[in-house]
Amino acid sequence: VANEDRVVMTALIEFVWALTGAGIAVGLYPVLRKFNPALALGSVAGRLVEGMFVVVGALGLLALLTVSQEAVVAGSAGLSSAMTTSNLVLAVREWVHGFVALLPFGVGAFMYYVVLYRSRLVPRWLSGWGLVAIALFMVSTLIAGFTQEFGFTTVNTVLNIPIGLQEMALAIWLIAKGFDQRALAAASESRA
């Protein structure tokens, strides 16, 4: 297989994706639980489930590599069987990455945007943008599931641009300014 290194590197990047996605929710949990423990825990659960499915997709990619290597060794005798297996693994991977993993991401992200909006930990325009963007993302995901057009279709791209930009804007905001200290202080006072 000509691109073995690229396949392995892609799988490694997807493993990092799974860890960071879950890590974001776990990192936000201690703060968000002060405002809504159920939604904070739900966002962690959603992102952990997303991560699990991303790992399944990455393992599918590595399985495709193995099947293709075995097909090369077997030559034309094993080509038919390898093609059938490859098509099955590829279909599972496309469904996992293009639909199944995106649903728990969307639900988890919706939960933490609700908490961020209600708590005013970040400006309402930023968390409100997150709520609108995640709704568009979920519409895109459902369309992809029904049309089985996963990846960079025009509809998916247009509907996913807002959440991509929003997630980056939220990250920059949290790095540069952090959470609103008045909201955190109010939460501490109400718990005391």
Side-chain angles (χ1 to χ4, degrees), residues 104-124:
F105 162 76
V107 171
F110 175 79
M111 289 179 187
Y112 73 69
Y113 286 123
V114 167
V115 177
L116 291 173
Y117 186 83
R118 289 180 181 168
S119 68
R120 297 180 186 256
L121 285 166
V122 297
R124 280 217 159 153

Side-chain angles (χ1 to χ4, degrees), residues 29-167:
Y29 177 76
V31 175
L32 299 184
R33 76 172 179 200
K34 295 175 184 176
F35 297 91
N36 191 318
L39 289 178
L41 186 60
S43 70
V44 171
R47 297 305 294 265
L48 288 173
V49 171
E50 171 205 3
M52 179 192 67
F53 284 122
V54 170
V55 167
V56 167
L59 292 173
L61 184 61
L62 294 174
L64 280 171
L65 178 61
T66 301
V67 168
S68 66
Q69 289 169 337
E70 290 176 2
V72 168
V73 171
S76 60
L79 190 58
S80 176
S81 174
M83 287 300 294
T84 301
T85 303
S86 294
N87 288 337
L88 175 64
V89 173
L90 184 60
V92 168
R93 178 177 160 73
E94 286 180 355
W95 272 101
V96 165
H97 274 198
F99 184 70
V100 177
L102 302 180
L103 294 174
F105 162 76
V107 171
F110 175 79
M111 289 179 187
Y112 73 69
Y113 286 123
V114 167
V115 177
L116 291 173
Y117 186 83
R118 289 180 181 168
S119 68
R120 297 180 186 256
L121 285 166
V122 297
R124 280 217 159 153
W125 67 264
L126 186 57
S127 53
W129 173 13
L131 288 167
V132 171
I134 204 64
L136 293 172
F137 171 86
M138 291 301 283
V139 167
S140 168
T141 300
L142 292 174
I143 290 170
F146 283 105
T147 62
Q148 297 181 33
E149 292 181 355
F150 308 115
F152 294 106
T153 66
T154 302
V155 171
N156 282 349
T157 302
V158 168
L159 292 176
N160 285 314
I161 286 173
I163 194 64
L165 293 174
Q166 200 288 330
E167 291 274 306

